[in-house]
Amino acid sequence: MNGGASGEGGSGDNDERGTGGRRGGDGGGSEDGGREDDSGGTRGIRGGEQAGGSPGGAGSDGNAGARDPILSSGQGGAPVRRPSAHRDVRSGDFDGDGKSDSVVWEPATYTWRVRFASGATTVSSFGGPGDVAVPADYDGDGLMDIAVWRSSDHNWYVQSAFTIYPPTPHGDPGDIPVPADYDGDGIADLAVWRPSDHGWYIRYSSGIIPGTVGWGGLGDVPVPGDYDGDRKADAAVWRPTDQTWYILDSNGGETVIPFGAPGDVAVPADYDGDGRTDPAVWNPKDASWQILKSLGGVTRLTFGSPNGIPVPADYDGDGKADVAVWEPTNGEWSLQESTGGAVSWSLGGDDGDIAPFSTNADQGCSASFGAPGSCVDVCLSSGFQGGYCPYGDGNASYWAAQCFCTP
């Protein structure tokens, strides 16, 4: 990753927590653009899995072309039109009210619980053993779809509000699913990041020929987002070993941002509402947040507890991500709204529950920061400053992954 793009961004206090300047530079990883995608079969993400998780049907229809902007809802063929093609396809909005909803998934029973901003809740069952929860808007209707990625058969299983789509193969065992809207058409693309070769394998819903780009390095954490505001997700990694963000934008430009401290966890989101993902970190030792806003400056605050899991999202619908944490031990969600208020509610808390939209919870090795056996716990007890696991996204199926400790 050789830097080419450079530019100055807002900088905060130059203390031990890292600087906020943006600059081009050497990412220290490998770059391998233009390789043909060999990571999975053809695009065919439609209908055929039972809610309990058993796959039905072959799953691939062989059609990699662009998709019709009017889709059948499954209710008598009533058309569902896409909203603006530039909504956040990972917003967490399941009911279309413009506010992120809280959601937990229990891998043991494949149970999904969603609490809407209105306070109403819904429960459903979808998934199977060893699945990774990957909810996103895969059909472009503006609503989050329940979805899982199954590493054992490489398939993606998606259930929208009215339709269960056939499984679609994409990825290999050991991959990390990173769905996002990489082509800017308002539909989440199937994508994985492969730690073994640092490759991003993306299947574009717009019909662009699937491709691969090499970006990252050993021990990196994938943090895709729209960092440049062009309405396309950028391949990006956060490197805990040097507390640096390496971003490859959709036009090929490279940005390197040193920001964070040993033991921090990456929690990127659009905190200032300008349409660009802001680098941000959360420290599980003291529950402190640091946000490098793309509009300039660094915001620092303490919110939550060391036992919590950060779940930033736009829960109040003002277009800005809110600082929020989920306590897996008791199911309490606590939110510091960007408008200034603080609210809380309960959802989940059963043993093994996971918040699918959490940002690399303990970097994949445990569903609770600092819990016995987690990477933070293991590394701190061994005399290190912190620890993380690069091979997961907060899901229980990655608990056995190897920990990396930060000196």
Side-chain angles (χ1 to χ4, degrees):
M1 296 184 337
N2 295 318
S6 64
E8 292 304 319
S11 63
D13 298 335
N14 291 327
D15 56 17
E16 72 279 4
R17 302 278 301 167
T19 60
R22 295 178 181 243
R23 59 178 176 82
D26 182 10
S30 64
E31 182 167 5
D32 181 15
R35 288 182 294 168
E36 187 173 352
D37 187 1
D38 62 358
S39 63
T42 55
R43 174 104 179 143
I45 209 176
R46 293 288 175 269
E49 184 184 4
Q50 299 301 316
S54 95
S60 175
D61 63 7
N63 180 13
R67 290 153 67 178
D68 195 301
I70 299 180
L71 306 175
S72 172
S73 70
Q75 287 190 334
V80 175
R81 293 184 179 273
R82 291 180 186 164
S84 166
H86 302 298
R87 293 176 59 117
D88 180 2
V89 298
R90 292 271 292 169
S91 69
D93 182 7
F94 285 83
D95 57 1
D97 65 352
K99 300 178 180 180
S100 298
D101 305 307
S102 49
V103 56
V104 295
W105 185 61
E106 186 177 353
T109 61
Y110 327 130
T111 301
W112 295 74
R113 295 180 177 86
V114 179
R115 181 190 183 276
F116 304 111
S118 64
T121 60
T122 182
V123 179
S124 60
S125 180
F126 190 77
D131 285 354
V132 177
V134 287
D137 181 9
Y138 293 95
D139 55 12
D141 64 355
L143 307 177
M144 293 299 100
D145 304 314
I146 289 175
V148 295
W149 180 69
R150 189 165 299 165
S151 61
S152 60
D153 63 10
H154 321 157
N155 278 322
W156 297 66
Y157 299 91
V158 178
Q159 175 179 281
S160 72
F162 305 108
T163 306
I164 300 177
Y165 298 126
T168 300
H170 185 67
D172 284 338
D175 288 351
I176 298 174
V178 285
D181 183 10
Y182 294 92
D183 52 10
D185 67 348
I187 300 174
D189 304 310
L190 308 186
V192 296
W193 185 69
R194 189 161 297 162
S196 60
D197 64 6
H198 321 142
W200 295 70
Y201 296 82
I202 304 170
R203 283 197 175 278
Y204 301 100
S205 58
S206 60
I208 300 173
I209 296 175
T212 304
V213 60
W215 189 253
L218 181 64
D220 286 353
V221 176
V223 285
D226 184 8
Y227 294 89
D228 56 5
D230 67 351
R231 299 174 178 178
K232 299 178 182 179
D234 308 310
V237 296
W238 185 69
R239 188 162 298 165
T241 53
D242 63 7
Q243 302 90 55
T244 301
W245 301 68
Y246 298 94
I247 302 167
L248 178 66
D249 67 40
S250 51
N251 295 315
E254 303 173 10
T255 302
V256 177
I257 307 173
F259 188 71
D264 281 351
V265 174
V267 288
D270 182 10
Y271 293 93
D272 53 14
D274 68 345
R276 292 182 286 177
T277 301
D278 304 312
V281 293
W282 183 80
N283 192 287
K285 292 178 64 177
D286 57 12
S288 62
W289 297 70
Q290 284 203 111
I291 303 167
L292 177 60
K293 294 186 175 181
S294 50
L295 290 177
V298 176
T299 296
R300 295 180 174 87
L301 71 157
T302 298
F303 187 80
S305 73
N307 292 323
I309 290 177
V311 284
D314 183 14
Y315 295 97
D316 56 7
D318 67 349
K320 302 177 182 179
D322 306 305
V323 168
V325 295
W326 173 61
E327 299 280 353
T329 55
N330 59 17
E332 181 176 354
W333 295 66
S334 299
L335 163 66
Q336 179 70 55
E337 294 178 324
S338 53
T339 52
V343 295
S344 64
W345 61 88
S346 294
L347 181 72
D350 295 336
D351 186 34
D353 277 358
I354 288 169
F357 287 109
S358 61
T359 312
N360 293 296
D362 218 5
Q363 310 308 353
C365 292
S366 173
S368 178
F369 287 102
S374 71
C375 277
V376 171
D377 175 69
V378 169
C379 292
L380 289 176
S381 64
S382 301
F384 292 91
Q385 293 295 315
Y388 65 97
C389 169
Y391 303 119
D393 63 352
N395 289 278
S397 56
Y398 292 107
W399 282 8
Q402 180 182 358
C403 293
F404 284 74
C405 297
T406 52

